[in-house]
Amino acid sequence: MQGLAAVGTLVISVLVALRLIPDTPLNPSNPDPSAVASVIQGSVEEELARSVVQVQMMSGGEMVGWGSGTVISDDGLILTNAHVATPDDVELDDLVIAVTDTPDAPPEARYHAEVVAADAVLDLAIIRITESMGGGPYDGALEPIPIGDSDAVGIGDEIIILGYPSVGGDTITLTYGRVSGFTAN
């Protein structure tokens, strides 16, 4: 599973290595989705947002939670958290991949996925799109994020985080920050 941790670090490090900092800062006290849309549209963040999906956790045909995922390959592999793909507190019968068309609208369910690998200690998982919502094969429409070099990441490097945290509302969220530290893993 060390390879799984390395992939997670590499996906995050691409954001740092590319120094993806916006020309127009987002006011963190303004949660208005149109404010996020204005920063994301026509920018590097817009390109990155094409690689970020919402992973919907389904049980008994109902969505019981969701998390963020990052497309890492052309064949539909997605990096997410183990607590999303294989939660301890509920048995899932499906993982649905939802995609954002515009940053000020909720993502739309497009694909089904299955767990390929998960590590609860590292809280990382790889899932694979298995089919479209209509039952057809995966069409390859999602854009994988370029993978960076984790050795290029240092304390204080600027990062961009795009995702669907459960406290972030119904749309994609955008956060800026800096690398504050590392774990031994």
Side-chain angles (χ1 to χ4, degrees):
M1 285 296 168
Q2 288 180 345
L4 189 58
V7 170
T9 302
L10 290 174
V11 168
I12 292 170
S13 69
V14 73
L15 302 176
V16 175
L18 295 175
R19 307 281 187 229
L20 303 176
I21 302 304
D23 295 329
T24 308
L26 179 65
N27 179 355
S29 65
N30 182 358
D32 178 19
S34 63
V36 174
S38 68
V39 171
I40 293 178
Q41 290 176 347
S43 64
V44 172
E45 289 87 349
E46 181 180 19
E47 291 178 36
L48 292 173
R50 291 186 204 122
S51 300
V52 178
V53 297
Q54 183 182 66
V55 180
Q56 298 176 350
M57 305 157 63
M58 308 297 287
S59 181
E62 299 287 324
M63 183 168 52
V64 295
W66 68 86
S68 303
T70 304
V71 181
I72 59 172
S73 72
D74 289 323
D75 61 349
L77 289 179
I78 296 170
L79 177 69
T80 189
N81 294 104
H83 72 265
V84 171
T86 57
D88 291 333
D89 57 345
V90 64
E91 189 168 326
L92 301 181
D93 50 38
D94 196 10
L95 292 172
V96 171
I97 305 304
V99 179
T100 293
D101 290 322
T102 61
D104 58 346
E108 293 183 25
R110 299 261 171 82
Y111 307 101
H112 297 279
E114 66 184 5
V115 177
V116 174
D119 185 314
V121 175
L122 295 174
D123 195 23
L124 290 174
I126 299 287
I127 61 177
R128 174 185 299 117
I129 294 174
T130 56
E131 64 182 5
S132 70
M133 292 302 287
Y138 173 56
D139 57 10
L142 299 179
E143 198 171 310
I145 194 165
I147 304 296
D149 178 1
S150 62
D151 290 336
V153 180
I155 297 279
D157 283 345
E158 298 167 325
I159 57 173
I160 294 172
I161 303 164
L162 288 158
Y164 299 93
S166 60
V167 295
D170 293 335
T171 62
I172 194 168
T173 63
L174 172 70
T175 304
Y176 299 102
R178 293 187 179 273
V179 174
S180 60
F182 299 93
T183 64
N185 290 342

